[in-house]
Amino acid sequence: MGIALIVVVGIAVVLALMVLGIYNGLVGRRNRIQEAFSTIDVMLKKRYDLIPNMVATVKQYMTHESETLTRIAGLRTRAMDPNLPMDERVRVDNELMKGLRGLMVQVEAYPDLKANENFMHLQRTLNEVEEQLSAARRAFNAAVLDMNNAVEMFPSNIVAGMFQFKRHEMFEIPEVERVAPDVKSLFA
Amino acid sequence: MQPPQPPSAPQAPRPAAEFGVFYNETLRPALAAFEDERRAILSRTGKLGAGLFAAALVAGLVGGGWWWLGMAIAALGAGIGFAAFRGDWAIRFKTTVMPLVLDRLAPGLAYDPASCIGQDSFERSRLCTRRIDRYRGEDLVHGRVGATEIVFSEIHAEHREQYTDSKGRRHTRWITLFKGLFFIGDFNKHFAGATVVVPDVAERVLGAWLGGLLQKANFAQPGELVKLEDPEFEKAFAVYGDDQVEARYILTPALMRRLLDFRARTGRDVSLSFVDSCVFVGVAYTRDLFEPRMVGSLTDPAWARGYFDDLAMAVGIVEDLNLNTRIWTKE
């Protein structure tokens, strides 16, 4: 009787430790997703911060493109609105990037601007932020994949069900971002 | 779907394609001069060996019983003679032929046959996780290829291990940590942390799941395991980094494909690390690199091509890793 009790208690302790370990692992994964998501936000903020400088520099040369510049400035203000729903924010952000890429094409007609050191530096910084943003999204997706695997695989799926850990959605790379800017040609 | 990358900077045409012209016009005449000397060294060594062996034989016959000692001394003498004949010739060969090939591949690179990348630089790469007890190298090449500052050399790093056999006797053995070509290049992006890319033995042997568990438990590597999206890359390499986002900022989908191509082209174990805004590349070789051969003709086009290709591989890392593309803030 005594041995049976010890075995039962032993099994219960092992199970409790397993549940504890899996639970902590799930919490760690959830926190990693949140951290990755906030990194994306930081990168987006960096991108928005660049835009006023870019517009100010470009304005001096591209006097005939004021409509494009006004639209870009407006989109940037909207994208930075903290109350904007996520879907709308992604849409505005995509529009903004489309506008910026269009602007880069128009720069072709302004050789003085292309040669402007400040503009070239801004353009390089924009490329860098774009690549960092892409890396942050990939890190977010990797964290989500790790979480989703844990939520669906045995035995962590049981613990996930008990404590209501859910699947997360991956960050879809918008179509506009799949077309890389031909930045190289701008330096030609 | 992988987002496409910006196109790379215009590169010099891959010189290996024009090897034939370079070989006939430049390399062959230089090699021919050393080929005559190679034959002379072999002939002199042969004569010295024959003389010593004959003397040993006579001494053995006269002295009786001890002929094997004479033979051993003769073999040693022939070996010492060969090393003495070859030493100066090999250095002259390298200081003549290496600059010719380097000039063809990327003009302006400097060559020093007696120097190598320092141990501190090798350790800075974080590619070696064990204590180094013996470190040597040679054939240092340094300079600029396009916008990229590079340095590479042959190095051999070893670890000393002492063990006790079943009879209680203590022995020392040397374990090679790295032997081969080591390359350091100025990377085209700024970064603050360290990212290490090493051959993934665990995942290749044990599969993705079990191999993945082992990778996570690999405490010898710095930082944490970085799982990337490219399954082929994941099968070939394990990535560890201080920062998940930074590791992905460096290892873009395009660079992952380039690294796979580079590994396939070399057909060797390739390790890389990204530290202090530099890229460190280790390509493992068991043979000595950039040495003239003694057996077989130096003017054999196939051998000359192999010699050329070893150097082209090292210099070509700049192009293979797209290091000359400078569209980010690092110029």
Side-chain angles (χ1 to χ4, degrees), chain A residues 40-94:
Chain A
I40 295 176
D41 251 4
V42 170
M43 297 303 168
L44 282 173
K45 172 87 172 43
K46 257 171 109 174
R47 186 159 80 177
Y48 298 148
D49 288 347
L50 272 177
I51 292 169
N53 280 338
M54 183 70 102
V55 169
T57 309
V58 167
K59 220 185 226 169
Q60 299 163 26
Y61 296 86
M62 297 172 76
T63 45
H64 303 299
E65 321 288 351
S66 60
E67 197 186 314
T68 312
L69 296 175
T70 312
R71 196 167 64 87
I72 287 171
L75 283 167
R76 181 217 174 231
T77 312
R78 280 194 65 198
M80 287 187 76
D81 179 359
N83 299 320
L84 206 64
M86 193 61 196
D87 289 356
E88 182 64 6
R89 191 169 160 187
V90 169
R91 199 189 62 73
V92 173
D93 191 58
N94 289 345

Side-chain angles (χ1 to χ4, degrees), chain A residues 29 32 39 121 124-125 127-128 131-132 134-136 138-139 142 146 173 177-182 184 187, chain B residues 1 3-7 9 189 224 227-229 244-245 248-249 251-253 256 326-331:
Chain A
R29 287 182 177 94
R32 179 162 286 184
T39 310
H121 179 73
R124 283 170 177 276
T125 311
N127 288 340
E128 199 159 281
E131 199 121 312
Q132 283 166 341
S134 159
R138 287 165 57 213
D146 200 28
I173 295 169
E177 290 209 358
R178 290 181 182 166
V179 184
D182 187 7
K184 207 74 213 118
F187 291 105
Chain B
M1 183 177 161
Q5 297 298 301
K189 292 175 184 171
E224 54 186 36
K227 297 288 279 180
L228 295 166
E229 312 89 323
Q244 294 277 338
V245 175
R248 288 174 176 85
Y249 174 57
L251 292 164
T252 60
M256 283 192 268
R326 303 274 163 165
I327 59 168
W328 300 279
T329 54
K330 191 171 180 191
E331 292 182 38

